[in-house]
Amino acid sequence: QDSSSPLMEQLNFFHDHTLLILTMITILVGYIMGMLMFNQFTNRFLLHGQTIEIIWTVLPAIILMFIAFPSLRLLYLMDEINTPSITLKSIGHQWYWSYEYSDFLNLEFDSYMVPTNELEMNGFRLLDVDNRIVLPMNNQIRILVTATDVLHSWTVPSLGVKVDATPGRLNQLNFIINRPGLFFGQCSEICGANHSFMPIV
């Protein structure tokens, strides 16, 4: 999905970057293996080669660093909590989500999937809910996630957000929505019979 937050944009870039490195490695190794199969040359002096062994040990290590450093940078960026403008608390139940806007008094509601037989013509089957979350764009949003019964996972792919909902534990995450829209997600932790039927909008 197209990214709707700066972090997801960075994750997309990182994915492309890593894919390019993997493609280069695959092509190089494939070419070398092809050459090994088909050429007739042998080197009668090749018993042990200190230089080539150093090269084929050091080079992969350097290539791995080109993947590791951007990855670590992103991990730290995703954990960064800047002063949030609004806090949303999301509680996973079997099998629906309930939400609390902790900055306001008594603003809480449950969010169930709309059954197929009650769906409007313009609704999304198995993805729409009766009560949607409304969040401001271009603001730091903090989400606190927990569960009441089993493990759930609060996930919205286009925002680059996935955080486990664990009973007895409060996980927090930070994100910015940088364009208006309708964003869909689903529980991403097997949580029982109706695991597929607790979407997030």
Side-chain angles (χ1 to χ4, degrees), residues 106-159:
N106 297 328
L107 182 47
E108 49 187 78
F109 55 89
D110 295 339
S111 178
Y112 288 88
M113 186 191 78
V114 180
T116 309
N117 56 353
E118 294 172 23
L119 205 58
E120 309 259 328
M121 282 302 287
N122 59 356
F124 294 92
R125 195 178 80 90
L126 302 184
L127 277 179
D128 247 326
V129 294
D130 54 359
N131 293 313
R132 294 171 172 173
I133 313 161
V134 180
L135 290 170
M137 62 179 262
N138 294 331
N139 274 291
Q140 289 284 350
I141 298 159
R142 170 173 56 190
I143 178 150
L144 302 172
V145 184
T146 186
T148 53
D149 37 44
V150 295
L151 290 179
H152 300 278
S153 181
W154 198 87
T155 306
V156 182
S158 56
L159 298 177

Side-chain angles (χ1 to χ4, degrees), residues 172-190:
Q172 85 170 347
L173 208 71
N174 206 53
F175 62 92
I176 301 175
I177 302 172
N178 60 8
R179 63 192 178 108
L182 200 55
F183 308 116
F184 294 93
Q186 286 176 305
C187 174
S188 297
E189 188 74 61
I190 306 287

